[in-house]
Amino acid sequence: MIKIVEVGPRDGLQNEKSVLSTEDKLKFISLLAETGLKTIEITSFVKPEAIPQMSDAVELFKQVTAKFAKTGINFPCLVPNLKGYETAKSLGVKEIALFSATSDSFTKKNVNATVDETFEKMSEVASLALKDNIRVRGYISTAFGCPYEGRMDVKKLLNVTERFFKLGAYEISVGDTIGVAVPTQVKDYIKELKKNFPVEKLAMHFHDTRGMALVNIKTSLEEGITTFDSSAGGLGGCPYAKGATGNVATEDVWYLMQSLGLETGIDIQKLAEASKFILEKVNKPTESKFLRAYLSTGKV
Ligand code: MG
């Protein structure tokens, strides 16, 4: 069984300039909840000034959990700081995502802190979360390459991964934020990670900027990775990484997995409906080649 972490409502929409209504987001998440996806990252408890798209995080989380509390679907939320953590806790969030990167230049531009400083901040949040029985997932940006520093040394990735495990993260998502990774690099870096950490606790987060996402996912599968982040319709990008297209599309990941006989639990027709809905709202064509074909032919 392959675990797909759907990040469209958070990672995807975060990069959309036009702010959607809470109603539209709820509809999108509701459609996603019908697809069989078991983990849907829905929002981020950031300052509204920082990311206006996420300014309805509290209301959205309340509405989603009121509607889907009994389904067993996991709705993690991103938490950038202690204040965000306190909000998440007060709402009964069961899983939070914390984030850092392998590159100081990237974290400085992104959150005005060095990598070390992000871990100082996160350690307090993570220890509270563990005490409060809230699961912690770690995101590592620029694992393979950085828009400012170029190719990143695998030693930096190993170091940041270790720090996240020390914080108590149950799963770590290794992100190719700007979509520069290629299979040889992916293979080498996962091999190094596996020497030090349990592969079942690692997830891969690819962007399809240079068309390498699926081949990188196939390579990751061959190295034993079974958890992948993706976004419906390929929504997203990165505000700090010019030209970075969205996350790999969940539809494309589905198509690859089913071709390999690997189960994702996703109903592709329902997923396509969810993507079609949100792409119309953000007024964008899909980045997913599979979805484009599927929507125009109605066939897999
Ligand atoms: Mg992403």
Side-chain angles (χ1 to χ4, degrees):
M1 186 83 184
I2 298 298
K3 178 181 164 191
I4 303 287
V5 177
E6 169 61 47
V7 297
R10 199 282 301 169
D11 193 359
L13 291 183
Q14 181 175 310
N15 293 293
E16 292 300 331
K17 289 217 167 56
S18 60
V19 176
L20 299 184
S21 67
T22 308
E23 193 189 348
D24 284 343
K25 291 178 199 168
L26 183 66
K27 176 84 194 280
F28 177 41
I29 294 163
S30 301
L31 290 167
L32 290 172
E34 298 290 316
T35 62
L37 282 162
K38 290 282 172 270
T39 303
I40 307 170
E41 192 178 80
I42 55 171
T43 192
S44 174
F45 295 107
V46 281
K47 274 190 281 193
E49 313 86 81
I51 306 173
Q53 186 70 271
M54 299 288 128
S55 60
D56 62 351
V58 169
E59 191 51 37
L60 183 66
F61 187 83
K62 279 185 188 166
Q63 291 189 23
V64 169
T65 41
K67 208 169 166 185
F68 297 104
K70 292 195 181 92
T71 58
I73 299 172
N74 181 25
F75 295 109
C77 299
L78 203 73
V79 163
N81 51 36
L82 197 55
K83 189 158 180 283
Y85 175 72
E86 279 159 2
T87 305
K89 190 195 162 191
S90 72
L91 290 167
V93 172
K94 293 192 176 71
E95 179 177 326
I96 57 166
L98 303 179
F99 58 94
S100 187
T102 59
S103 150
D104 282 318
S105 315
F106 188 81
T107 54
K108 274 186 195 156
K109 289 258 187 198
N110 196 347
V111 291
N112 196 27
T114 62
V115 170
D116 282 350
E117 285 162 355
T118 66
F119 274 93
E120 280 164 30
K121 263 202 213 167
M122 289 191 294
S123 70
E124 191 180 2
V125 173
S127 63
L128 287 171
L130 295 182
K131 241 189 276 163
D132 296 331
N133 256 326
I134 295 172
R135 273 196 313 240
V136 173
R137 186 173 202 250
Y139 273 113
I140 303 176
S141 289
T142 63
F144 300 95
C146 166
Y148 316 108
E149 296 186 19
R151 184 182 166 105
M152 298 306 295
D153 194 312
V154 70
K155 288 195 189 91
K156 295 205 170 180
L157 175 59
L158 296 174
N159 178 272
V160 173
T161 305
E162 185 177 8
R163 293 172 87 168
F164 262 126
F165 278 125
K166 279 191 176 153
L167 286 186
Y170 84 98
E171 185 170 280
I172 293 167
S173 168
V174 177
D176 182 22
T177 313
I178 54 169
V180 287
V182 293
T184 44
Q185 189 187 17
V186 169
K187 189 175 177 183
D188 291 349
Y189 282 31
I190 296 175
K191 277 193 189 303
E192 288 302 313
L193 285 166
K194 284 199 299 188
K195 284 182 196 162
N196 298 277
F197 313 105
V199 70
E200 64 276 10
K201 291 190 172 185
L202 300 173
M204 302 304 288
H205 180 118
F206 289 113
H207 282 229
D208 204 27
T209 314
R210 289 165 183 80
M212 290 285 119
L214 284 183
V215 68
N216 286 335
I217 289 174
K218 177 72 164 53
T219 304
S220 306
L221 280 170
E222 286 159 9
E223 292 302 324
I225 302 281
T226 55
T227 303
F228 296 95
D229 299 354
S230 60
S231 74
L235 276 180
C238 177
Y240 307 99
K242 264 190 197 152
T245 48
N247 300 286
V248 62
T250 309
E251 288 86 353
D252 289 338
V253 178
W254 175 88
Y255 189 64
L256 173 66
M257 295 305 169
Q258 65 94 40
S259 79
L260 297 168
L262 298 169
E263 211 23 81
T264 56
I266 293 172
D267 178 324
I268 193 64
Q269 195 185 335
K270 288 184 173 165
L271 178 61
E273 280 166 27
S275 295
K276 190 165 177 276
F277 170 80
I278 199 67
L279 289 161
E280 279 169 13
K281 291 292 171 190
V282 300
N283 196 23
K284 271 196 179 161
T286 180
E287 298 275 354
S288 164
K289 291 207 172 79
F290 170 82
L291 183 60
R292 214 181 303 154
Y294 183 73
L295 290 176
S296 53
T297 63
K299 286 184 201 143
V300 169

